[in-house]
Amino acid sequence: MTKLNSLKLFIMGLILIISNHAFSETVATTANDISFPAGLKNWRVIGTSYRKDNNTQRVILGNSIAIKAARSGQIKPWPQGTILAKLVWKNSQHPQWDDAIVPGEFVHSEIMIKDAKKFASTKGWGFARWLGKKQQAYGETASFAEECLSCHTRAKSTNYVFTIPATIP
Amino acid sequence: MTKLNSLKLFIMGLILIISNHAFSETVATTANDISFPAGLKNWRVIGTSYRKDNNTQRVILGNSIAIKAARSGQIKPWPQGTILAKLVWKNSQHPQWDDAIVPGEFVHSEIMIKDAKKFASTKGWGFARWLGKKQQAYGETASFAEECLSCHTRAKSTNYVFTIPATIP
């Protein structure tokens, strides 16, 4: 490893430590006490997906713990402190390329936080969602997370996470 | 702006300056003299898309110049020094969710570099592609970029770039 790469890694570590402890002051905390991570849109990519049933596409990002786990294959289970985030858009046809389907209207941000103690009642995962461009907290009471888990139970074999990290050379 | 945010911005600036001047020592340079940017997979996200004609999906990332331009709407034209990157995968059905289409086999990385002088013959953009997990440089002679431009001419109204930055709150 070159000196330049060592310096880069050190600085990245520094910024990611700082990022992990910062939460947005403007987006409301959810009913199950999850705050919107500041700087989420600057996180690194884990994968993408699109859904035919609700006509959306998304990018999946991760905090530093999630990225380290995803890129080293240590995700069964995902480690304590993992935050996985999805940015979701409605599908829209590209104006110059009929067969290219691109992000249209922003639908919501979603995160899953791994905290085995705090979220023991939902398999160690805290679920949160913020709707639309205004990022309004979803769920009137903390029990909304049961709704999330009811689908995610289908992904029990991958620690309740649907996302399988994409191959990135 | 809090002191924490100022510190974060300073550090991000530092790392992005360093990243912009580092190129991979292991991935071959293309015939039109474009080197693979080291740390590309750590860049921030601009958008996603999928294509029905060739059954692929992708994430679009950008270097610091591209991200600044995308997030401030200063992209007509994209500024000198912009690098836009695509990571492309074959579509694959999610094993636990039939209607979710996720990244399968890695197809290629692609970049577009804005350098009005160096790439004057291809509308100010340098095009490059590296194939598969081995990231083999695409194109035997520099003229391969004409092939890229022949499609991108369709996006002349958006400075030859198909990607329209996605809305990210």
Side-chain angles (χ1 to χ4, degrees), chain A residues 2 4-5 7-8 11-12 14-15 18-19 21-22 25 36 38-39 41-53 55-59 61 67 71 87 89 91 93-106 109 132-135 151 154-155 157-158 161-164 166-169, chain B residues 2 4-5 7-8 11-12 14-15 18-19 21-22 25 36 38-39 41-53 55-59 61 67 71 87 89 91 93-106 109 132-135 151 154-155 157-158 161-164 166-169:
Chain A
T2 63
L4 190 66
N5 281 334
L7 178 61
K8 278 177 61 184
I11 295 173
M12 290 198 85
L14 207 62
I15 189 174
I18 295 169
S19 297
H21 292 87
E25 291 154 20
F36 188 86
K41 68 180 173 185
N42 297 320
W43 287 0
R44 287 171 283 170
V45 69
I46 291 178
T48 54
S49 69
Y50 68 92
R51 275 175 60 176
K52 296 187 288 182
D53 53 346
N55 199 32
T56 58
Q57 64 187 284
R58 67 212 69 211
V59 64
L61 308 174
I67 292 292
R71 295 185 179 176
L87 302 177
W89 299 273
N91 290 329
Q93 192 179 45
H94 192 287
Q96 273 99 33
W97 193 284
D98 287 355
D99 283 324
I101 311 300
V102 296
E105 187 189 344
F106 184 77
S109 311
K133 282 173 77 171
K134 290 186 176 168
Q135 297 285 268
C151 272
R154 214 187 286 193
S157 67
T158 47
V161 172
F162 284 109
T163 298
I164 301 156
T167 301
I168 303 178
Chain B
T2 64
L4 190 65
N5 281 336
L7 178 62
K8 278 176 62 183
I11 294 172
M12 290 198 86
L14 207 61
I15 189 175
I18 294 168
S19 297
H21 293 86
E25 291 155 19
F36 188 86
K41 68 182 175 184
N42 297 321
W43 287 359
R44 287 171 283 170
V45 70
I46 292 178
T48 55
S49 69
Y50 69 93
R51 276 176 59 177
K52 296 188 288 184
D53 52 345
N55 199 33
T56 58
Q57 64 186 283
R58 66 211 68 211
V59 64
L61 308 174
I67 292 292
R71 295 185 179 177
L87 302 176
W89 299 274
N91 289 329
Q93 192 178 47
H94 192 286
Q96 273 100 32
W97 194 285
D98 287 354
D99 282 325
I101 312 300
V102 296
E105 186 188 344
F106 183 78
S109 310
K133 283 173 76 171
K134 291 187 177 169
Q135 295 286 266
C151 272
R154 215 187 289 191
S157 67
T158 47
V161 172
F162 284 109
T163 298
I164 300 156
T167 301
I168 304 178

Side-chain angles (χ1 to χ4, degrees), chain A residues 11-161:
Chain A
I11 295 173
M12 290 198 85
L14 207 62
I15 189 174
L16 292 168
I17 287 163
I18 295 169
S19 297
N20 279 340
H21 292 87
F23 294 98
S24 170
E25 291 154 20
T26 54
V27 179
T29 296
T30 58
N32 55 342
D33 193 31
I34 297 178
S35 299
F36 188 86
L40 184 156
K41 68 180 173 185
N42 297 320
W43 287 0
R44 287 171 283 170
V45 69
I46 291 178
T48 54
S49 69
Y50 68 92
R51 275 175 60 176
K52 296 187 288 182
D53 53 346
N54 64 11
N55 199 32
T56 58
Q57 64 187 284
R58 67 212 69 211
V59 64
I60 299 97
L61 308 174
N63 70 348
S64 59
I65 295 172
I67 292 292
K68 187 180 170 194
R71 295 185 179 176
S72 63
Q74 305 294 309
I75 60 171
K76 288 189 177 181
W78 288 83
Q80 180 81 357
T82 289
I83 309 180
L84 299 167
K86 280 183 176 173
L87 302 177
V88 182
W89 299 273
K90 278 286 176 192
N91 290 329
S92 175
Q93 192 179 45
H94 192 287
Q96 273 99 33
W97 193 284
D98 287 355
D99 283 324
I101 311 300
V102 296
E105 187 189 344
F106 184 77
V107 178
H108 57 233
S109 311
E110 297 177 316
I111 66 171
M112 286 177 72
I113 302 189
K114 186 68 173 284
D115 186 329
K117 194 171 170 188
K118 181 173 179 183
F119 303 112
S121 68
T122 46
K123 307 293 184 186
W125 287 103
F127 295 89
R129 175 183 283 169
W130 292 272
L131 304 176
K133 282 173 77 171
K134 290 186 176 168
Q135 297 285 268
Q136 293 176 307
Y138 177 80
E140 301 217 341
T141 68
S143 65
F144 82 87
E146 297 296 333
E147 184 193 324
C148 308
L149 191 62
S150 70
C151 272
H152 280 263
T153 296
R154 214 187 286 193
K156 189 177 175 184
S157 67
T158 47
N159 193 210
Y160 301 93
V161 172

Side-chain angles (χ1 to χ4, degrees), chain B:
Chain B
M1 186 178 291
T2 64
K3 274 189 185 173
L4 190 65
N5 281 336
S6 302
L7 178 62
K8 278 176 62 183
L9 275 177
F10 171 74
I11 294 172
M12 290 198 86
L14 207 61
I15 189 175
L16 292 168
I17 287 164
I18 294 168
S19 297
N20 278 341
H21 293 86
F23 293 98
S24 170
E25 291 155 19
T26 55
V27 179
T29 296
T30 58
N32 54 342
D33 193 30
I34 297 179
S35 298
F36 188 86
L40 184 155
K41 68 182 175 184
N42 297 321
W43 287 359
R44 287 171 283 170
V45 70
I46 292 178
T48 55
S49 69
Y50 69 93
R51 276 176 59 177
K52 296 188 288 184
D53 52 345
N54 64 11
N55 199 33
T56 58
Q57 64 186 283
R58 66 211 68 211
V59 64
I60 299 97
L61 308 174
N63 70 348
S64 59
I65 295 171
I67 292 292
K68 188 180 170 196
R71 295 185 179 177
S72 63
Q74 305 294 310
I75 60 172
K76 288 189 178 182
W78 288 84
Q80 180 81 357
T82 289
I83 309 181
L84 299 167
K86 281 183 173 172
L87 302 176
V88 182
W89 299 274
K90 277 286 175 192
N91 289 329
S92 176
Q93 192 178 47
H94 192 286
Q96 273 100 32
W97 194 285
D98 287 354
D99 282 325
I101 312 300
V102 296
E105 186 188 344
F106 183 78
V107 178
H108 58 232
S109 310
E110 296 176 319
I111 66 172
M112 285 177 73
I113 302 188
K114 186 69 175 280
D115 186 329
K117 193 172 169 189
K118 182 173 178 183
F119 302 111
S121 68
T122 46
K123 306 292 183 187
W125 286 103
F127 295 88
R129 175 183 282 170
W130 291 271
L131 304 174
K133 283 173 76 171
K134 291 187 177 169
Q135 295 286 266
Q136 293 176 309
Y138 177 80
E140 301 216 341
T141 67
S143 66
F144 83 87
E146 296 296 332
E147 183 193 325
C148 308
L149 190 62
S150 70
C151 272
H152 280 262
T153 297
R154 215 187 289 191
K156 189 177 175 183
S157 67
T158 47
N159 195 209
Y160 301 92
V161 172
F162 284 109
T163 298
I164 300 156
T167 301
I168 304 178

